[in-house]
Amino acid sequence: MSVELKTPEDIAGMRIAGRLASEVLDFIGPQVQAGITTGELDRLCHDYIVNVQRTIPAPLNYTPPGYTPYPKSICTSVNHVVCHGVPGEKRLKNGDIINIDITVIKDGYHGDTSRMFYVGAPSIQAKRLVELTYDCMWRGIRAIKPGNTLGDIGHAIQSHAERHGFSVVREFCGHGIGKKFHEDPQILHYGRPGAGMRLEPGMVFTVEPMINAGRPDIRQMADGWTIVTKDHSLSAQWEHTVLVTPDGFEVLTVSAGTPPEPATE
Ligand code: MF3
Ligand code: CO
Ligand code: CO
């Protein structure tokens, strides 16, 4: 596996792309309300990305090996949808939870980030899952520093999720990112301390755990993209793009509306 170390020029470009991706979430957050459809959220984001930011929505027509071209500009994953929910006619209702995942390309560089949103008031269980998943992402990010390994990141996430009775989706992972959407290495959200590749300054990758309230098993829908929990339990996900620095990490997908880092216990 060859992992590209970013140059100072690359890093400057990735900071800009990361901020822009995060600003799309700032823009769309207030529109996430009961009555709107996921297709309408996609249209609003698409127009903002293309006409206001003058960036490129990376998902649109993205075609990994074995897939059909992705038909929309964002992913909208509601309730038991784990990831890659395709925007359409689905209308949001009070109590839903939704992940919105944004990837934009600016001057050739990708920024990739997602957040969870509540539609109206969440159930106690949904709020617990969403907050726990956010803590899991941050525990993974805080494990990032030169000399630590990919297994340290995965272990930090998995141990926290399972300690609270939730489960980690295994089939999808974080990824290196830069001039390409998905690069090496794969960032598994489970693992053993000290296992796997050692982190080096200049690596840029995403941390994007998918945590299920029930069993970890998933199923792909007939559209070829949408992933759901097999047991229909709720699923949550958060994502940041992160740079490995000489003494730790720098989150690149930050903007005015980025939620605060959780307190360390
Ligand atoms: N943004 C997703 C990720 O975090 C990838 C979505 S691929 C798409 O890696 F084609 F569905 F957009
Ligand atoms: Co990603
Ligand atoms: Co993403």
Side-chain angles (χ1 to χ4, degrees):
M1 194 190 321
S2 77
V3 174
E4 184 190 72
L5 299 180
K6 268 58 180 178
T7 66
E9 183 192 337
D10 292 334
I11 292 165
M14 297 290 293
R15 273 197 196 99
I16 293 168
R19 174 178 50 78
L20 287 161
S22 189
E23 284 176 354
V24 179
L25 292 170
D26 296 354
F27 161 78
I28 202 62
Q31 307 305 320
V32 179
Q33 293 191 27
I36 198 164
T37 69
T38 53
E40 288 163 350
L41 293 172
D42 175 73
R43 174 50 49 194
L44 289 165
C45 287
H46 177 91
D47 291 348
Y48 183 78
I49 289 167
V50 170
N51 300 325
V52 178
Q53 292 191 332
R54 310 241 172 242
T55 58
I56 298 165
L60 189 57
N61 296 316
Y62 184 59
T63 316
Y67 283 80
T68 54
Y70 188 77
K72 298 288 176 177
S73 294
I74 68 172
C75 298
T76 50
S77 301
V78 180
N79 294 340
H80 69 294
V81 178
V82 172
C83 64
H84 304 166
V86 180
E89 301 305 299
K90 186 178 179 58
R91 211 170 279 286
L92 299 183
K93 62 178 191 312
N94 198 25
D96 285 345
I97 60 171
I98 178 173
N99 174 279
I100 301 183
D101 193 338
I102 302 291
T103 310
V104 300
I105 310 170
K106 182 68 168 181
D107 297 334
Y109 293 104
H110 290 72
D112 187 8
T113 185
S114 78
R115 296 182 201 155
M116 296 298 300
F117 297 91
Y118 301 124
V119 183
S123 70
I124 286 165
Q125 167 76 342
K127 185 163 180 281
R128 244 187 100 229
L129 175 67
V130 167
E131 290 179 354
L132 186 282
T133 303
Y134 189 63
D135 293 343
C136 282
M137 176 187 70
W138 267 104
R139 281 176 179 255
I141 291 171
R142 287 181 179 135
I144 297 173
K145 65 173 180 195
N148 277 9
T149 69
L150 292 179
D152 293 326
I153 300 173
H155 178 73
I157 294 166
Q158 180 184 15
S159 58
H160 193 60
E162 293 180 353
R163 181 157 66 235
H164 289 85
F166 295 136
S167 62
V168 177
V169 172
R170 304 291 203 275
E171 290 83 350
F172 297 90
C173 55
H175 49 91
I177 182 168
K179 289 181 183 142
K180 287 188 287 183
F181 195 162
H182 294 100
E183 303 181 350
D184 288 335
Q186 294 195 9
I187 312 298
L188 304 183
H189 302 115
Y190 58 93
R192 294 279 142 231
M197 182 185 293
R198 226 160 262 291
L199 305 181
E200 290 178 53
M203 291 179 175
V204 175
F205 52 78
T206 69
V207 178
E208 50 179 302
M210 284 139 277
I211 307 294
N212 297 347
R215 308 266 326 146
D217 312 73
I218 55 140
R219 220 160 48 79
Q220 188 179 74
M221 303 289 281
D223 64 11
W225 278 102
T226 306
I227 303 296
V228 298
T229 55
K230 216 176 205 171
D231 63 8
H232 279 77
S233 65
L234 286 180
S235 187
Q237 178 178 30
W238 292 81
E239 175 175 26
H240 271 313
T241 299
V242 184
L243 165 71
V244 184
T245 64
D247 42 34
F249 64 85
E250 177 186 335
V251 175
L252 301 179
T253 35
V254 285
S255 61
T258 301
E261 208 181 307
T264 40
E265 294 126 45

